[in-house]
Amino acid sequence: NTWMEDVVEHTSKAFLGLTVNCAKCHDHKYDPIAQEDFYRFRAFFEPYQIRADMAGGETDFAKDGVPRAFDCNLAAPTFLFVRGDEKHPRKKPILPGLPGVFGAKLDIRPVALPREAYTPGSNPAVLAAHLRHAESQIEKARSALAQAKKVLAERDAVAKTPTKPAAKGPLVRDDFARARPDLWEMKQGRWTYKGGKLVQEQDDGQRAVLRLKTPPPADFQARFRFTPVGGKVYKSVGLSFDVAGGNEILVYLSAYAGGPKLQIAVNQGAGYAYPGEAAQARPVKLNEPQDLVVRVRGPLVNVEVNGKHALAYRLAVPRKAGALELITFDARAELTAFELSALPPEVELLSPGSVGAAPSAGMTAAQARLAVAVADKALAAALLRPEALRASADADRTPSLARAASLAERRVAVATAEEAVARAELEASLAAPAAKVAAEKKLVAARSALANARKALDAPGETYTPLRGALKTPESNLESAASRDKPFPATSSGRRSALARWMTSDDNPLTARVAVNHLWLRHFGKPLVPTVFDFGRKGTPPTHPELLDWLAVELRESGWSMKHLHRLKVTSNTYRMTSSGANAAADRAIDPENRAYWRMNPV
């Protein structure tokens, strides 16, 4: 509504020199413009919206695009708002028209649009842009497959390398369902076993410590499941290792309201250091279970949170043999599981800076094989997309080819669904125990989607997705993606064309006068009509009405050539006069405001 009001105001001011906007709530107080005239003028623009057309071969319309107006909602009605309040519209729709003072009736006819206007994907440049993007995705998929095969080869090599027999199963496992004084030493804190959990209830800004009596291996993997349930300020829970004589390395999650995070802190006996590269801002909510996995090999530390790799850090200080502790700081927490094992030699840790790459941390040879399958399926889907794009482009130009486009699109859908199944299988294999159920559900859903895609391939029909050569701008923050994807109309309402024809016709005395007044202002420093946007009764009359009329006729008869008007003005004697008032006392006395242009205005 605000947009429509602005369009009415600025269109009428810019082309007609009329303040039609003053009639939004009531009849205009000075000019012969009724309130209904405001809404008749608005109706010219009611159907139209904005879209972005592809520009420069960029397929992402958030990055680039040419904005274009088009009549989107051809049947959109216009209602008069009582006192201008959009919450109180009158029921009777208002048709487009001009204020009655002009006595003009417009010939409004629908305009048939060229194919590229309502099917922008049929433009050959659009297909070329989509094909370039598809080819770049193929290269990325090939690179990802090569990397996945490299990781698999490394895992297979490690698996074939003779190693010392590893200890069978975890070194320590506890579900905290009962007291285990053989495993833990309760140092600080208020620790109690309740409801099959170990609960720490101290939250007075102090540290609570549960020390593991079994010394951890130098290279280890520890999994710690807990739920933070309260605390005064920091609400931090985690584990420390290499604890000896004031030395420790602490990995913790903090639910601190001012900045929840994952952090690795180092203490060499002189206080804690919190390296910025060893921190990750992330939401940590109370009463939500957390699954923290810490893997350590030499100075390299990898942290996984809730089944996903989160942080890689290389210690800048030498490690020292020491104990492992579970800690809370200013936090109440429930402990539900702990597991400690030697880090298998085939598990490769990520180095700092590799976060965001394909997560190979903790991946076994079998999991690496699944990752290769994912990359292989992704490449297969990418290779099919250019064919589908060409088929859609052909159907956009020749509707009888719609079945072929539908078939090609469904082949891509099957290949994409196969990739999704392979990815879900990998994620299920990598999932932490707490995330296993969700991962399995995702796998079931992916397999069901694949079955549906294969069924659709058997009966493709003639429905396909046209190439996207334009994207409609949302009409409001409530518009759905499906609404934005509707086909563009093949006709335009013709309302704006009819208005434009009248604006530039001999029947309209205003547009040419408003235009030449603006041009005069730019060249001569002041306008012929001082109120450039108001030619109504409250506007100031022209200083030179005959000149205004003559220039308006000149503009029309030159075919509305503004270049002609520019040349006419800048080559005139008036324009070429000096702006100095020296030795012109008589002129200045008669015409101090230079209304007669006896000199040039400084501009």
Side-chain angles (χ1 to χ4, degrees):
N1 184 52
T2 303
W3 186 26
M4 288 290 105
E5 289 176 4
D6 288 346
V7 169
V8 171
E9 175 180 358
H10 297 297
T11 302
S12 62
K13 284 181 176 179
F15 293 102
L16 301 175
L18 293 179
T19 54
V20 174
N21 56 294
C22 293
K24 181 185 80 167
C25 306
H26 48 70
D27 291 349
H28 201 291
K29 290 187 176 182
Y30 310 113
D31 296 332
I33 301 172
Q35 184 187 11
E36 192 164 323
D37 290 335
F38 172 90
Y39 293 95
R40 276 199 285 263
F41 204 86
R42 170 177 168 146
F44 285 115
F45 304 98
E46 198 77 56
Y48 99 106
Q49 292 295 331
I50 297 295
R51 75 187 194 196
D53 281 17
M54 185 179 289
E58 175 57 66
T59 58
D60 185 349
F61 293 96
K63 294 180 179 179
D64 199 4
V66 176
R68 296 198 187 284
F70 74 107
D71 278 355
C72 175
N73 306 308
L74 299 181
T78 299
F79 299 101
L80 184 146
F81 298 151
V82 178
R83 295 185 179 179
D85 185 353
E86 64 178 305
K87 296 179 182 177
H88 297 95
R90 288 185 183 170
K91 293 183 178 180
K92 183 180 178 181
I94 290 180
L95 299 177
L98 297 166
V101 66
F102 292 114
K105 292 185 178 180
L106 303 186
D107 181 19
I108 301 176
R109 301 185 302 273
V111 177
L113 300 174
R115 177 173 291 277
E116 287 187 7
Y118 62 88
T119 312
S122 62
N123 187 329
V126 172
L127 174 60
H130 281 290
L131 286 175
R132 282 194 298 272
H133 179 71
E135 293 296 336
S136 71
Q137 296 303 110
I138 289 173
E139 291 308 310
K140 288 181 181 178
R142 283 182 174 140
S143 177
L145 178 58
Q147 178 62 26
K149 288 180 176 179
K150 180 181 177 182
V151 172
L152 175 59
E154 292 171 352
R155 298 297 183 278
D156 283 341
V158 170
K160 293 174 183 177
T161 302
T163 59
K164 294 180 181 179
K168 293 183 178 180
L171 301 173
V172 176
R173 179 182 288 159
D174 191 4
D175 60 5
F176 298 109
R178 59 185 177 85
R180 292 291 305 272
D182 56 318
L183 293 180
W184 304 102
E185 176 187 358
M186 295 180 183
K187 296 177 74 68
Q188 298 97 350
R190 294 200 304 270
W191 300 92
T192 55
Y193 287 90
K194 294 181 181 179
K197 305 171 186 175
L198 177 55
V199 180
Q200 199 295 115
E201 297 179 304
Q202 175 180 290
D203 64 353
D204 54 2
Q206 300 298 313
R207 178 175 173 133
V209 177
L210 190 67
R211 175 170 288 185
L212 184 66
K213 292 183 177 180
T214 303
D219 300 336
F220 67 88
Q221 173 176 293
R223 185 182 299 275
F224 178 26
R225 277 208 302 281
F226 62 90
T227 302
V229 295
K232 292 288 195 305
V233 180
Y234 295 103
K235 302 180 276 288
S236 300
V237 184
L239 65 84
S240 291
F241 60 93
D242 292 2
V243 181
N247 183 84
E248 72 169 319
I249 300 165
L250 172 61
V251 183
Y252 66 92
L253 287 167
S254 171
Y256 173 50
K261 64 177 179 176
L262 166 67
Q263 176 77 60
I264 300 174
V266 178
N267 189 348
Q268 290 186 287
Y272 288 96
Y274 302 88
E277 64 272 23
Q280 181 192 70
R282 62 181 301 125
V284 181
K285 297 181 180 179
L286 296 180
N287 301 308
E288 288 190 2
Q290 303 291 334
D291 196 300
L292 184 69
V293 178
V294 179
R295 297 185 178 94
V296 180
R297 176 176 288 126
L300 196 57
V301 181
N302 278 196
V303 185
E304 180 183 290
V305 179
N306 297 329
K308 293 185 178 180
H309 177 78
L311 190 62
Y313 179 63
R314 189 177 299 278
L315 296 167
V317 299
R319 292 187 58 196
K320 296 181 181 179
L324 186 146
E325 296 177 343
L326 304 182
I327 66 98
T328 69
F329 179 74
D330 187 32
R332 290 180 284 114
E334 298 173 349
L335 281 58
T336 52
F338 176 81
E339 188 176 284
L340 173 70
S341 58
L343 185 66
E346 68 271 14
V347 173
E348 180 181 337
L349 300 191
L350 284 173
S351 297
S354 57
V355 177
S360 58
M363 194 178 283
T364 65
Q367 291 164 338
R369 199 162 280 108
L370 288 174
V372 169
V374 172
D376 190 52
K377 297 291 186 184
L379 177 58
L383 289 170
L384 287 173
R385 286 193 180 97
E387 177 189 348
L389 291 170
R390 292 187 181 94
S392 293
D394 290 342
D396 285 344
R397 290 188 294 269
T398 310
S400 62
L401 299 176
R403 184 175 180 81
S406 177
L407 184 61
E409 185 175 294
R410 280 154 178 71
R411 285 180 183 138
V412 174
V414 169
T416 303
E418 289 175 346
E419 176 197 349
V421 169
R423 194 175 300 280
E425 289 173 345
L426 174 61
E427 291 176 358
S429 174
L430 292 170
K436 280 287 185 186
V437 174
E440 290 295 337
K441 286 183 179 178
K442 187 175 180 180
L443 177 56
V444 170
R447 286 172 174 161
S448 175
L450 174 58
N452 290 335
R454 286 172 173 164
K455 189 180 297 183
L457 179 61
D458 292 336
E462 295 187 354
T463 302
Y464 71 97
T465 304
L467 284 192
R468 171 153 281 170
L471 178 64
K472 178 179 171 291
T473 301
E475 294 182 35
S476 75
N477 59 343
L478 302 177
E479 185 170 16
S480 66
S483 175
R484 292 181 71 189
D485 288 339
K486 289 188 299 186
F488 297 116
T491 60
S492 187
S493 68
R495 295 181 183 185
R496 287 177 291 132
S497 298
L499 177 61
R501 283 194 298 269
W502 173 80
M503 280 184 174
T504 54
S505 73
D506 291 342
D507 295 333
N508 171 28
L510 289 173
T511 303
R513 285 172 171 78
V514 173
V516 298
N517 191 49
H518 275 283
L519 296 180
W520 188 274
L521 166 62
R522 270 48 173 202
H523 285 306
F524 291 97
K526 64 180 182 180
L528 297 172
V529 179
T531 51
V532 293
F533 293 113
D534 188 358
F535 278 39
R537 286 179 177 171
K538 278 294 183 179
T540 305
T543 57
H544 300 68
E546 296 86 353
L547 175 60
L548 182 68
D549 287 349
W550 186 85
L551 289 171
V553 172
E554 190 71 19
L555 177 62
R556 280 179 172 173
E557 293 185 350
S558 68
W560 294 85
S561 170
M562 289 193 175
K563 180 179 286 188
H564 172 69
L565 264 290
H566 289 310
R567 182 182 292 111
L568 186 67
K569 291 177 182 180
V570 301
T571 59
S572 67
N573 290 336
T574 309
Y575 184 84
R576 289 185 289 174
M577 284 194 295
T578 178
S579 60
S580 172
N583 303 317
D587 291 324
R588 191 162 50 249
I590 297 171
D591 184 12
E593 296 180 2
N594 192 33
R595 292 170 61 87
Y597 292 89
W598 53 267
R599 64 180 176 87
M600 180 61 176
N601 292 310
V603 292

